[in-house]
Amino acid sequence: MKDLVRKRARITRVRSAQHLLAASAAASAEAQVLHLESNAAKLASLRDSLTVESGTTTGAVLQNRGELAQRLDKARDGLNSAIVSARAAAEQKVAERLEARQRQESAAKLDARAVQAMADWTEARVTAAFRPKILKKQGNY
Protein backbone atom coordinates (compact mmCIF):
# COMPACT_ATOMS: atom_id res chain seq x y z
CA MET A 1 0.00 0.00 0.00
CA LYS A 2 2.83 2.39 0.84
CA ASP A 3 4.48 1.62 -2.48
CA LEU A 4 1.30 2.59 -4.30
CA VAL A 5 1.18 5.92 -2.47
CA ARG A 6 4.85 6.60 -3.26
CA LYS A 7 4.34 5.66 -6.90
CA ARG A 8 1.31 7.92 -7.25
CA ALA A 9 3.16 10.79 -5.55
CA ARG A 10 6.08 10.35 -7.96
CA ILE A 11 3.70 10.33 -10.94
CA THR A 12 2.08 13.51 -9.63
CA ARG A 13 5.49 15.21 -9.33
CA VAL A 14 6.44 14.13 -12.87
CA ARG A 15 3.13 15.32 -14.31
CA SER A 16 3.54 18.64 -12.51
CA ALA A 17 7.01 19.06 -14.02
CA GLN A 18 5.64 18.14 -17.45
CA HIS A 19 2.95 20.78 -17.09
CA LEU A 20 5.51 23.41 -16.11
CA LEU A 21 7.61 22.55 -19.16
CA ALA A 22 4.57 22.70 -21.44
CA ALA A 23 3.50 26.03 -19.94
CA SER A 24 7.00 27.41 -20.46
CA ALA A 25 7.04 26.25 -24.08
CA ALA A 26 3.61 27.79 -24.69
CA ALA A 27 4.67 31.10 -23.16
CA SER A 28 7.83 31.08 -25.27
CA ALA A 29 5.83 30.42 -28.44
CA GLU A 30 3.41 33.26 -27.58
CA ALA A 31 6.36 35.58 -26.96
CA GLN A 32 7.78 34.63 -30.36
CA VAL A 33 4.49 35.54 -32.04
CA LEU A 34 4.40 38.90 -30.25
CA HIS A 35 8.02 39.57 -31.22
CA LEU A 36 7.35 38.83 -34.89
CA GLU A 37 4.21 40.97 -34.87
CA SER A 38 6.15 43.81 -33.27
CA ASN A 39 8.82 43.54 -35.96
CA ALA A 40 6.15 43.61 -38.68
CA ALA A 41 4.65 46.74 -37.13
CA LYS A 42 8.08 48.39 -37.05
CA LEU A 43 8.62 47.54 -40.71
CA ALA A 44 5.21 49.00 -41.58
CA SER A 45 6.06 52.15 -39.65
CA LEU A 46 9.38 52.46 -41.47
CA ARG A 47 7.62 51.93 -44.78
CA ASP A 48 5.10 54.66 -44.00
CA SER A 49 7.87 57.07 -43.07
CA LEU A 50 9.27 56.88 -46.63
CA THR A 51 6.61 59.14 -48.08
CA VAL A 52 7.90 62.07 -50.09
CA GLU A 53 7.01 65.52 -48.88
CA SER A 54 5.61 67.93 -51.40
CA GLY A 55 8.17 70.09 -53.07
CA THR A 56 11.08 69.54 -55.35
CA THR A 57 12.95 66.27 -55.15
CA THR A 58 15.46 64.55 -57.34
CA GLY A 59 14.93 61.35 -59.20
CA ALA A 60 17.69 59.68 -57.16
CA VAL A 61 15.82 60.38 -53.91
CA LEU A 62 12.61 58.96 -55.35
CA GLN A 63 14.43 55.90 -56.65
CA ASN A 64 16.20 55.27 -53.32
CA ARG A 65 12.99 55.64 -51.33
CA GLY A 66 11.10 53.44 -53.77
CA GLU A 67 13.77 50.72 -53.60
CA LEU A 68 13.86 50.87 -49.80
CA ALA A 69 10.06 50.72 -49.68
CA GLN A 70 10.09 47.60 -51.88
CA ARG A 71 12.67 45.95 -49.62
CA LEU A 72 10.64 46.76 -46.51
CA ASP A 73 7.47 45.40 -48.14
CA LYS A 74 9.29 42.21 -49.10
CA ALA A 75 10.65 41.80 -45.57
CA ARG A 76 7.19 42.40 -44.11
CA ASP A 77 5.66 39.82 -46.48
CA GLY A 78 8.29 37.33 -45.36
CA LEU A 79 7.41 38.06 -41.76
CA ASN A 80 3.72 37.42 -42.45
CA SER A 81 4.37 33.78 -43.31
CA ALA A 82 6.63 33.47 -40.26
CA ILE A 83 3.88 34.97 -38.08
CA VAL A 84 1.31 32.52 -39.43
CA SER A 85 3.55 29.53 -38.72
CA ALA A 86 4.48 30.92 -35.28
CA ARG A 87 0.79 31.33 -34.42
CA ALA A 88 0.12 27.73 -35.45
CA ALA A 89 3.04 26.55 -33.32
CA ALA A 90 1.80 28.65 -30.38
CA GLU A 91 -1.70 27.17 -30.68
CA GLN A 92 -0.17 23.67 -30.70
CA LYS A 93 1.88 24.48 -27.59
CA VAL A 94 -1.22 25.81 -25.81
CA ALA A 95 -3.06 22.59 -26.64
CA GLU A 96 -0.12 20.56 -25.30
CA ARG A 97 -0.13 22.67 -22.13
CA LEU A 98 -3.83 22.02 -21.60
CA GLU A 99 -3.32 18.30 -22.13
CA ALA A 100 -0.43 18.30 -19.64
CA ARG A 101 -2.61 20.17 -17.16
CA GLN A 102 -5.36 17.57 -17.49
CA ARG A 103 -2.84 14.77 -16.92
CA GLN A 104 -1.48 16.62 -13.89
CA GLU A 105 -4.94 17.05 -12.38
CA SER A 106 -5.77 13.40 -13.04
CA ALA A 107 -2.55 12.28 -11.35
CA ALA A 108 -3.26 14.56 -8.38
CA LYS A 109 -6.71 13.02 -7.96
CA LEU A 110 -5.26 9.51 -8.10
CA ASP A 111 -2.62 10.50 -5.56
CA ALA A 112 -5.26 11.93 -3.23
CA ARG A 113 -7.30 8.72 -3.54
CA ALA A 114 -4.22 6.60 -2.79
CA VAL A 115 -3.40 8.70 0.28
CA GLN A 116 -6.99 8.40 1.50
CA ALA A 117 -6.96 4.64 0.91
CA MET A 118 -3.69 4.39 2.84
CA ALA A 119 -5.16 6.40 5.70
CA ASP A 120 -8.28 4.20 5.76
CA TRP A 121 -6.18 1.05 5.68
CA THR A 122 -3.92 2.31 8.49
CA GLU A 123 -6.91 3.30 10.59
CA ALA A 124 -8.50 -0.11 10.05
CA ARG A 125 -5.29 -1.83 11.16
CA VAL A 126 -4.97 0.35 14.25
CA THR A 127 -8.58 -0.21 15.29
CA ALA A 128 -8.25 -3.93 14.59
CA ALA A 129 -5.47 -4.19 17.17
CA PHE A 130 -7.82 -2.93 19.89
CA ARG A 131 -10.73 -5.19 19.11
CA PRO A 132 -11.40 -7.71 21.81
CA LYS A 133 -10.53 -11.19 20.76
CA ILE A 134 -13.25 -13.74 21.13
CA LEU A 135 -11.96 -16.85 22.70
CA LYS A 136 -13.34 -20.03 21.27
CA LYS A 137 -14.39 -22.69 23.69
CA GLN A 138 -12.15 -25.60 23.43
CA GLY A 139 -13.96 -28.81 23.22
CA ASN A 140 -12.97 -32.12 24.76
CA TYR A 141 -10.86 -34.35 22.64
Side-chain angles (χ1 to χ4, degrees):
M1 187 59 97
K2 291 178 185 178
D3 289 338
L4 178 66
V5 172
R6 279 191 225 118
K7 181 179 177 182
R8 297 270 168 88
R10 182 176 53 84
I11 290 171
T12 301
R13 286 191 307 272
V14 168
R15 296 292 165 90
S16 179
Q18 288 173 339
H19 175 258
L20 289 175
L21 287 173
S24 174
S28 177
E30 288 289 332
Q32 179 68 19
V33 170
L34 291 176
H35 179 70
L36 289 172
E37 289 175 341
S38 171
N39 285 344
K42 287 176 186 175
L43 287 174
S45 174
L46 279 174
R47 169 66 169 92
D48 292 341
S49 71
L50 291 175
T51 58
V52 178
E53 294 106 24
S54 60
T56 58
T57 57
T58 64
V61 170
L62 289 175
Q63 182 181 0
N64 288 340
R65 286 187 181 201
E67 184 179 333
L68 188 54
Q70 285 178 339
R71 288 182 182 181
L72 289 172
D73 287 340
K74 191 174 184 179
R76 197 173 54 180
D77 289 341
L79 269 180
N80 285 340
S81 63
I83 289 171
V84 168
S85 65
R87 280 185 185 149
E91 289 174 4
Q92 176 66 29
K93 296 294 182 186
V94 167
E96 289 173 5
R97 183 190 63 79
L98 290 174
E99 185 178 323
R101 178 67 179 177
Q102 289 171 348
R103 286 193 308 262
Q104 177 191 12
E105 289 173 353
S106 175
K109 287 177 185 177
L110 287 174
D111 185 35
R113 276 193 246 151
V115 168
Q116 184 60 43
M118 178 68 174
D120 293 345
W121 179 77
T122 304
E123 184 178 330
R125 284 198 56 173
V126 168
T127 57
F130 295 111
R131 289 184 189 152
K133 296 183 180 182
I134 300 173
L135 298 174
K136 294 182 180 180
K137 293 183 180 180
Q138 294 182 354
N140 294 334
Y141 295 114

